[in-house]
């Protein structure tokens, strides 16, 4: 429907309305001027009604648009609330998974002893699920590992063959100790000490 406010008042006195004027004159028994005026009045009344209907439609359309905008705003707010709730829940889950630092006594002095560590060779054997002599976990084996670690550079590498593939590994992880002893040559005390340290490692 076009905007009736843009319509132009027709000229009912023109020849285009000759037949219409004649019909009105015959029915109402009036002259041409009166018939022209009657046509103008009829057109004005119809035009006013069209304008009223047009304005009512504009008002209804505006209300519908406002209602739709309100509903869309509510949907957007609900989606935003759900998104914020999910983000908050995810943040809480991340916080739960973060490692917690246990409380400590500030008045307690730090330990003055260092737990002995076996050599890189023994550790590499354990990582590879290979057999390694318990001597490497004994006090003598750990002492030698400490001395060897101090004397060798950390960036020294050697070539090893693993599944027909040549790989570079730290020298300390490849070289067995010349002083290593088989398990049955260990004393009972050395055996117990090595066993306990191997479990810790």
């Amino acid at each position: 429907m076009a905007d009736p406010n843009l319509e132009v008042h027709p000229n009912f006195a023109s020849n285009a309305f000759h037949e219409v004027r004649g019909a009105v004159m015959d029915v109402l028994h009036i002259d041409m001027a009166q018939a022209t005026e009657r046509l103008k009045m009829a057109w004005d009344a119809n035009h006013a009604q069209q304008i009223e209907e047009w304005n009512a439609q504009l008002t209804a359309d505006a209300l519908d648009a406002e209602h739709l905008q309100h509903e869309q705003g509510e949907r957007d707010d609900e989606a935003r609330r759900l998104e914020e709730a999910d983000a908050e829940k995810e943040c809480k889950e991340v916080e739960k998974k973060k490692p917690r630092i246990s409380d400590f006594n500030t008045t307690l002095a730090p330990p003055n002893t260092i737990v002995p560590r076996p050599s890189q060779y023994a550790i590499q054997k354990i990582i590879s699920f290979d057999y390694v002599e318990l001597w490497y976990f004994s006090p003598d084996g750990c002492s030698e590992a400490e001395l060897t670690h101090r004397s060798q550079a950390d960036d020294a590498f050697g070539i090893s063959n693993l599944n027909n593939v040549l790989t570079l590994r730290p020298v300390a992880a490849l070289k067995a100790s010349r002083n290593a002893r088989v398990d049955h040559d260990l004393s009972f005390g050395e055996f117990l000490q090595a066993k306990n340290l191997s479990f810790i490692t």
Side-chain angles (χ1 to χ4, degrees):
M1 180 179 179
D3 186 356
N5 293 288
L6 303 178
E7 293 182 1
V8 179
H9 198 290
N11 183 10
F12 291 107
S14 64
N15 291 330
F17 293 93
H18 173 72
E19 294 183 0
V20 176
R21 285 196 311 270
V24 173
M25 291 168 61
D26 292 341
V27 172
L28 300 179
H29 305 289
I30 56 178
D31 58 18
M32 186 179 70
Q34 291 174 328
T36 301
E37 187 63 27
R38 288 292 185 93
L39 290 174
K40 289 181 180 179
M41 291 172 59
W43 188 91
D44 289 340
N46 182 64
H47 186 245
Q49 183 178 357
Q50 289 182 353
I51 291 177
E52 183 178 353
E53 293 176 354
W54 172 263
N55 292 334
Q57 185 63 44
L58 289 179
T59 302
D61 292 343
L63 291 175
D64 290 342
E66 183 179 357
H67 181 67
L68 291 175
Q69 185 177 4
H70 179 70
E71 289 183 345
Q72 184 63 39
E74 288 184 345
R75 287 193 293 268
D76 293 342
D77 292 340
E78 181 65 20
R80 191 179 303 108
R81 283 193 294 268
L82 292 175
E83 185 177 352
E84 291 176 354
D86 291 341
E88 184 178 357
K89 182 179 179 181
E90 184 177 353
C91 184
K92 289 181 179 179
E93 291 295 332
V94 172
E95 287 294 331
K96 288 181 180 179
K97 294 180 181 179
K98 284 185 178 180
R100 302 293 181 183
I101 300 177
S102 58
D103 196 9
F104 59 93
N105 189 352
T106 57
T107 61
L108 186 64
N112 54 8
T113 58
I114 300 177
V115 178
R117 289 180 55 83
S119 65
Q120 288 295 322
Y121 171 80
I123 294 175
Q124 187 62 40
K125 285 286 188 178
I126 293 176
I127 294 175
S128 303
F129 297 100
D130 293 333
Y131 168 75
V132 59
E133 292 82 358
L134 281 176
W135 177 86
Y136 287 98
F137 303 95
S138 67
D140 292 340
C142 292
S143 298
E144 181 181 291
E146 180 66 21
L147 294 175
T148 304
H149 178 72
R150 292 177 181 176
S151 62
Q152 290 182 344
D154 292 337
D155 56 354
F157 289 87
I159 298 176
S160 65
N161 186 0
L162 180 63
N163 297 330
N164 295 327
V165 177
L166 295 179
T167 58
L168 289 176
R169 291 188 178 182
V171 172
L174 298 174
K175 188 176 180 181
S177 173
R178 294 192 303 269
N179 299 322
R181 289 181 289 162
V182 294
D183 295 345
H184 61 265
D185 287 341
L186 298 178
S187 65
F188 186 71
E190 290 175 329
F191 181 84
L192 292 179
Q193 289 178 316
K195 173 182 69 67
N196 294 335
L197 183 58
S198 66
F199 289 156
I200 297 175
T201 305

